[in-house]
Amino acid sequence: MQEQNYVKAQLSHMIFHKAESQFSIASVIVEDTNLEFDEEELVIKGHFPPLTHGNDYIFYGVLQQHPKFGEQLNVFTYEKELPKTEESLIKYLSSDLFYGVGEKTAEKIVNHFGLSAVDQILRDESLLDQVSGLKPDLKKQFIADLRVNQGFDQVTIELAKYGVGLQLAQKIYKAYQESTITQLNENPYQFVFDIEGFGFQRADEIAAQMGIKDDHPTRVQAGVLHVLEMESMNGHVYVDDDYLMQQLNVLLHKGHPIENQQSFEEHLQALLKEEVIVKEGNRTYLPQLFFAEEGVASQLTRVLETKEDSFYDESELMQLIGEIEEQEGIAYGSEQYEAVKKALEHQVMILTGGPGTGKTTVIKGIIHCYEALIQKGKTKHNSDFVLAAPTGRAAKRLTDSTGLKAKTIHSLLGWSGESEFEYNSSNQLKGKLLIVDEFSMVDIWLANSLLKAIPSGMKVIFVGDEDQLPSVGPGQVLADLLISNSVPICQLTEIYRQKQDSYIVKLAHDIKHDQLPESSVGKKADFNFFETTTDHALQTIEKIVTKAMEKGYSPRDIQVLAPMYKTNVGIHKLNETLQNLFNPEKKGKRELQHFDYIYRTGDKVIQLVNQPEKDVFNGDIGEIVAIKKAKESESKKDELIINFDGMEVSYTKNDFNQIMLAYAISIHKSQGSEFPIVIVPIVRSFKRMLVKNLIYTAVTRGKSSLIICGEYDVFLEGMQKKNAYDRNSTLVERIQSMMGTSNKSLDNGEEDEDEENLSPYDFM
């Protein structure tokens, strides 16, 4: 079998190592092999830790011909052999792997025990007492290091047979130590409960190879956990029991109803006893989601309980609105005036509305009036006002529109990359007024953390567009708050004069109100629809971008948005094509290759994960301004220098998985941002992803120009698909239960006829 092909070798040099996945490429000096090739050195690749010089390794794998780099061994697993001579064993024991053991101490150990020193000591650690001059603390540390290095090597080798990389192997070994392999052989499903990142599918594959029966109780219980986790990734806070059992049967028995109600309930009870799940009636929750939902309801109730007397009169408010109208050169409509008034009168308010309805104008009015009223002529203190948004770009937009510094919510709460925030229920935020923009993007976890950090006396304004996509994480917090009718709501509906000529705004509101055109939309001042098929959409976008470039537009002006990464007009293919248009290969222009991706100086890139220590966050878009080769950089590694709105951040190759090209990005990633020119392919291959919320979100990203390329019937059909993002949530009933409210109990300044429209479906 191919898997039995082996290469015995020592390290020549490491070519590449990615710490997160433990993917490595190395050049090794071949000592022995059953493969046929003539070279003394061979390139190997696979998931293994960094190799060290002076050690003998045996690599098992398949020899492959790489089209660019020639012959390589694709490594499935490996073994590290102990040194075969006393001299090499002394070097091994006096290496950095063993704290405090110098060459003289290593010589004593080897002279006493010989080449079998390691095996003898691991079998009976008391034998080390026979070596004179070793202090008790040093003996204890040496034995611990020996067990870690030898035990971990064996665990790594065993787990590698099942495709488990070193990073995950480290977590497993930390949990089980010397009993790791025993636990693996007896019940790999236990890893699903104990090890973060060890999924059910991996455990199932290992168990199948070991011949563990399908009805193993831990398999069924691990399956329950897997279904709950998968549903949470789809946005659901809980799963009802009927659906849970149905999905469990699909997962475990390919849909055959082997799990009956009695056995199913027995498994749930076992999980309840171990506090792996939480049950409420026929609903099953992951504990962290259950307590996050309860936390949002209780913390919101606490903040709302603070009552504040009105500290202004109507004439004073009118005067203050007049001042800001004069400063901004605008006129506040009655709806906007009432929104400012309501914000001053209530401890918490939700401000919602579509594009062009003046949410920014209202925010400015609230800040201006509240500042004037609380300061009463004193010196301005910007620290009284706390502004935040879910993403870096949304925070920057809020800063630009208000003139006050806004932060991401993670940065505001002092997130360091760990699970806890600096600001919480025992160390709350300071300030008088908190404004959170783009609140539709906030999931139940983040909402709970934010609300815990809000002191009872702080006024809070949540701002968002209820018709946009819900949060990527579980829950639908903004929609649930609106439905609960427990928080005062100001819903802006009027499109103001300065926006009336914008077809983008009109189209957005038509989508919002299900007013769809019967025939194809023609060219407008800020909108165009190019009819094209899936096969020709990429060429159509190339032509549009080329024409825009000829008119002087840059990559910063043009943003392509798509709902999927794959397909021949997906984000990956779009980025490859657009990079060659905007920033082609050129003599003298620096570039770096990372797997299948090429990064060049001048490329537009997007940050994919929050990195608070670098002050960059998921969704931030920057430009590669410099590329340093390993020999030029202080880190001695290849580096990209990326400029994020004036702040330069350095990335080594280990960090390259945090970024990707951003000529095209997902519609989800575009939330909280606006771009001068937006191009959106809407083609048949995207059909299953196209729903009203998604299309509405894409349309509202265009600031000056929106271009849709695709098939008009697919566009219309997608706009009519509602409720695709309905989520299982019990936040509404928790809030109403704690506050004693119902949909009819809170006066939000609307007539009964309008209140009837506040159904769950209107806010999805």
Side-chain angles (χ1 to χ4, degrees):
M1 293 176 64
Q2 283 185 315
E3 285 79 5
Q4 298 305 309
N5 292 337
Y6 74 89
V7 173
K8 184 178 179 181
Q10 288 199 356
L11 175 68
S12 171
H13 61 278
M14 292 297 297
I15 297 171
F16 172 79
H17 177 69
K18 184 177 182 182
E20 290 81 2
S21 63
Q22 295 302 322
F23 179 78
S24 298
I25 303 174
S27 178
V28 295
I29 302 168
V30 178
E31 297 177 348
D32 185 28
T33 181
N34 63 351
L35 294 168
E36 294 183 6
F37 56 88
D38 300 326
E39 301 296 326
E40 292 183 2
E41 289 196 21
L42 175 68
V43 172
I44 62 170
K45 65 177 182 179
H47 292 273
F48 49 85
L51 308 178
T52 53
H53 290 282
N55 285 311
D56 286 324
Y57 296 91
I58 301 177
F59 302 99
Y60 300 92
V62 173
L63 196 64
Q64 296 178 335
Q65 185 72 29
H66 191 281
K68 186 173 181 180
F69 302 111
E71 281 188 321
Q72 297 180 344
L73 185 73
N74 189 19
V75 175
F76 295 149
T77 187
Y78 75 100
E79 298 174 10
K80 183 170 77 174
E81 294 190 328
L82 280 173
K84 293 293 192 295
T85 66
E86 290 189 354
E87 182 182 359
S88 60
L89 183 57
I90 290 168
K91 285 183 179 180
Y92 171 68
L93 295 178
S94 60
S95 70
D96 292 340
L97 296 173
F98 303 96
Y99 178 77
V101 178
E103 191 171 334
K104 288 184 179 179
T105 302
E107 281 180 4
K108 285 184 180 180
I109 295 170
V110 174
N111 288 339
H112 187 83
F113 295 107
L115 284 173
S116 63
V118 172
D119 287 338
Q120 290 185 59
I121 294 167
L122 286 175
R123 278 197 303 269
D124 183 0
E125 59 189 56
S126 66
L127 291 176
L128 201 57
D129 295 338
Q130 299 172 11
V131 180
S132 63
L134 294 184
K135 295 179 180 179
D137 287 348
L138 179 59
K139 289 179 187 177
K140 186 177 179 181
Q141 184 63 52
F142 175 69
I143 290 167
D145 289 344
L146 199 61
R147 289 197 179 281
V148 166
N149 284 288
Q150 290 302 304
F152 180 57
D153 274 344
Q154 293 305 310
V155 167
T156 301
I157 291 165
E158 189 65 24
L159 289 172
K161 296 176 183 177
Y162 304 105
V164 178
L166 181 66
Q167 188 175 34
L168 192 53
Q170 287 170 333
K171 290 183 182 180
I172 296 169
Y173 189 74
K174 185 177 180 181
Y176 298 109
Q177 295 294 313
E178 288 83 5
S179 63
T180 299
I181 294 175
T182 301
Q183 180 64 58
L184 176 72
N185 291 330
E186 290 180 354
N187 183 11
Y189 293 108
Q190 191 60 42
F191 291 177
V192 178
F193 297 96
D194 298 340
I195 311 299
E196 183 182 355
F198 197 101
F200 174 84
Q201 302 289 4
R202 188 192 297 271
D204 218 27
E205 289 171 7
I206 294 172
Q209 292 180 50
M210 293 178 173
I212 294 174
K213 293 182 179 180
D214 285 352
D215 61 354
H216 192 290
T218 316
R219 178 178 187 252
V220 180
Q221 291 162 23
V224 170
L225 187 63
H226 175 77
V227 172
L228 292 175
E229 288 174 344
M230 291 300 101
E231 291 303 311
S232 75
M233 291 174 67
N234 290 329
H236 299 298
V237 175
Y238 71 87
V239 179
D240 69 70
D241 286 354
D242 288 343
Y243 183 78
L244 177 57
M245 189 164 75
Q246 174 192 333
Q247 292 301 108
L248 192 62
N249 276 316
V250 170
L251 177 69
L252 302 180
H253 312 300
K254 310 304 180 190
H256 301 297
I258 295 175
E259 288 303 316
N260 58 49
Q261 191 68 36
Q262 182 179 345
S263 64
F264 173 70
E265 289 176 0
E266 287 172 357
H267 289 305
L268 293 187
Q269 287 303 314
L271 291 170
L272 269 172
K273 188 176 180 180
E274 295 296 322
E275 299 182 343
V276 175
I277 62 171
V278 174
K279 287 284 294 173
E280 209 177 46
N282 70 335
R283 299 164 177 163
T284 303
Y285 301 76
L286 292 170
Q288 59 268 37
L289 289 176
F290 177 84
F291 293 116
E293 204 174 64
E294 277 206 329
V296 169
S298 62
Q299 297 296 335
L300 181 65
T301 301
R302 172 186 59 81
V303 175
L304 283 165
E305 282 174 349
T306 304
K307 301 299 179 186
E308 201 175 303
D309 295 332
S310 180
F311 55 96
Y312 70 95
D313 57 39
E314 192 79 16
S315 60
E316 189 176 15
L317 178 59
M318 292 178 70
Q319 180 184 341
L320 292 170
I321 291 293
E323 289 175 3
I324 194 169
E325 285 179 328
E326 187 174 345
Q327 289 174 16
E328 299 288 331
I330 58 174
Y332 275 67
S334 58
E335 221 178 38
Q336 295 174 320
Y337 176 85
E338 289 300 320
V340 176
K341 182 181 176 183
K342 185 176 284 190
L344 298 176
E345 290 173 345
H346 295 282
Q347 194 63 25
V348 182
M349 187 188 84
I350 297 173
L351 176 66
T352 183
T357 56
K359 293 192 295 293
T360 300
T361 301
V362 171
I363 292 171
K364 288 181 181 178
I366 293 168
I367 292 172
H368 175 81
C369 294
Y370 195 66
E371 177 193 34
L373 292 167
I374 63 173
Q375 297 299 332
K376 296 291 185 182
K378 294 179 183 178
T379 306
K380 181 177 181 179
H381 294 291
N382 286 349
S383 60
D384 289 331
F385 304 99
V386 183
L387 278 65
T391 67
R393 289 186 67 80
K396 185 177 186 301
R397 282 179 60 202
L398 191 56
T399 296
D400 293 343
S401 64
T402 63
L404 299 175
K405 176 64 177 175
K407 296 181 177 181
T408 65
I409 298 173
H410 283 82
S411 180
L412 173 68
L413 297 179
W415 187 55
S416 62
E418 301 299 325
S419 57
E420 296 296 323
F421 289 100
E422 177 187 352
Y423 291 96
N424 48 49
S425 55
S426 58
N427 179 33
Q428 294 182 317
L429 298 166
K430 304 293 188 295
K432 292 183 171 66
L433 174 67
L434 169 66
I435 297 174
V436 185
D437 201 5
E438 299 291 349
F439 197 67
S440 64
M441 299 174 67
V442 176
D443 63 30
I444 194 71
W445 283 316
L446 188 56
N448 184 36
S449 297
L450 176 63
L451 283 162
K452 282 194 291 189
I454 296 173
S456 297
M458 179 183 273
K459 273 190 178 292
V460 183
I461 313 294
F462 295 127
V463 184
D465 185 344
E466 71 269 28
D467 291 294
Q468 286 191 34
L469 290 167
S471 57
V472 174
Q476 47 188 24
V477 180
L478 177 62
D480 284 346
L481 292 185
L482 290 165
I483 297 164
S484 74
N485 206 30
S486 301
V487 180
I489 302 165
C490 187
Q491 191 164 19
L492 303 176
T493 59
E494 185 179 351
I495 304 174
Y496 287 89
R497 183 173 294 108
Q498 63 266 33
K499 293 281 190 178
Q500 282 179 350
D501 293 334
S502 168
Y503 188 78
I504 296 174
V505 172
K506 181 182 183 306
L507 178 60
H509 284 269
D510 285 347
I511 295 171
K512 178 184 177 79
H513 298 295
D514 299 322
Q515 296 172 353
L516 307 178
E518 293 181 3
S519 58
S520 187
V521 177
K523 181 175 171 57
K524 309 291 182 184
D526 60 352
F527 175 83
N528 207 348
F529 194 109
F530 287 92
E531 286 270 7
T532 184
T533 62
T534 301
D535 292 338
H536 297 96
L538 192 63
Q539 294 94 313
T540 303
I541 292 171
E542 283 185 86
K543 290 177 183 176
I544 294 167
V545 170
T546 301
K547 192 171 182 179
M549 290 169 62
E550 290 170 355
K551 293 182 178 180
Y553 291 103
S554 72
R556 299 291 292 183
D557 301 318
I558 303 168
Q559 187 60 61
V560 179
L561 305 178
M564 295 174 69
Y565 283 87
K566 297 182 179 179
T567 80
N568 61 354
V569 69
I571 293 164
H572 293 315
K573 187 63 179 177
L574 283 164
N575 270 321
E576 180 185 325
T577 302
L578 294 170
Q579 182 189 43
N580 290 331
L581 281 177
F582 280 121
N583 195 26
E585 182 180 4
K586 186 178 179 182
K587 188 176 181 181
K589 178 174 286 190
R590 288 201 163 190
E591 64 178 47
L592 277 176
Q593 182 159 0
H594 181 61
F595 297 112
D596 294 331
Y597 302 105
I598 294 173
Y599 295 110
R600 299 189 182 110
T601 306
D603 271 335
K604 179 179 173 182
V605 293
I606 185 170
Q607 177 77 15
L608 301 175
V609 293
N610 291 323
Q611 285 292 334
E613 68 276 9
K614 295 179 181 177
D615 202 26
V616 290
F617 295 88
N618 185 5
D620 287 354
I621 292 178
E623 180 184 335
I624 298 174
V625 293
I627 294 176
K628 293 182 181 179
K629 302 295 184 181
K631 62 183 179 182
E632 303 166 336
S633 69
E634 291 183 11
S635 66
K636 301 305 176 186
K637 298 177 181 178
D638 292 338
E639 288 184 13
L640 299 177
I641 311 300
I642 302 175
N643 185 302
F644 292 97
D645 294 318
M647 179 183 67
E648 291 190 353
V649 181
S650 176
Y651 292 75
T652 62
K653 275 204 169 184
N654 288 343
D655 303 321
F656 287 1
N657 64 316
Q658 297 177 14
I659 61 169
M660 66 175 287
L661 293 174
Y663 301 107
I665 62 174
S666 72
I667 296 169
H668 279 87
K669 291 283 185 190
S670 75
Q671 278 189 274
S673 303
E674 278 187 338
F675 308 95
I677 301 171
V678 167
I679 303 170
V680 187
I682 295 184
V683 292
R684 205 163 299 280
S685 60
F686 294 157
K687 192 172 178 179
R688 66 182 180 85
M689 293 289 293
L690 295 173
V691 292
K692 179 179 174 179
N693 305 63
L694 190 81
I695 294 173
Y696 176 86
T697 301
V699 165
T700 53
R701 299 310 93 202
K703 191 173 183 180
S704 304
S705 181
L706 170 68
I707 300 165
I708 296 177
C709 307
E711 295 156 272
Y712 199 71
D713 62 323
V714 175
F715 177 55
L716 289 178
E717 188 178 333
M719 286 193 290
Q720 295 172 74
K721 281 187 191 173
K722 301 179 188 177
N723 309 325
Y725 292 98
D726 279 357
R727 294 175 168 189
N728 292 339
S729 163
T730 38
L731 182 59
V732 173
E733 61 190 68
R734 293 190 197 286
I735 293 172
Q736 292 179 346
S737 175
M738 288 187 183
M739 298 185 63
T741 59
S742 69
N743 281 346
K744 294 184 178 179
S745 64
L746 184 68
D747 178 14
N748 275 313
E750 299 175 3
E751 300 296 329
D752 290 344
E753 183 180 352
D754 292 330
E755 283 191 338
E756 290 175 3
N757 294 328
L758 294 177
S759 71
Y761 303 106
D762 289 327
F763 295 115
M764 293 301 109

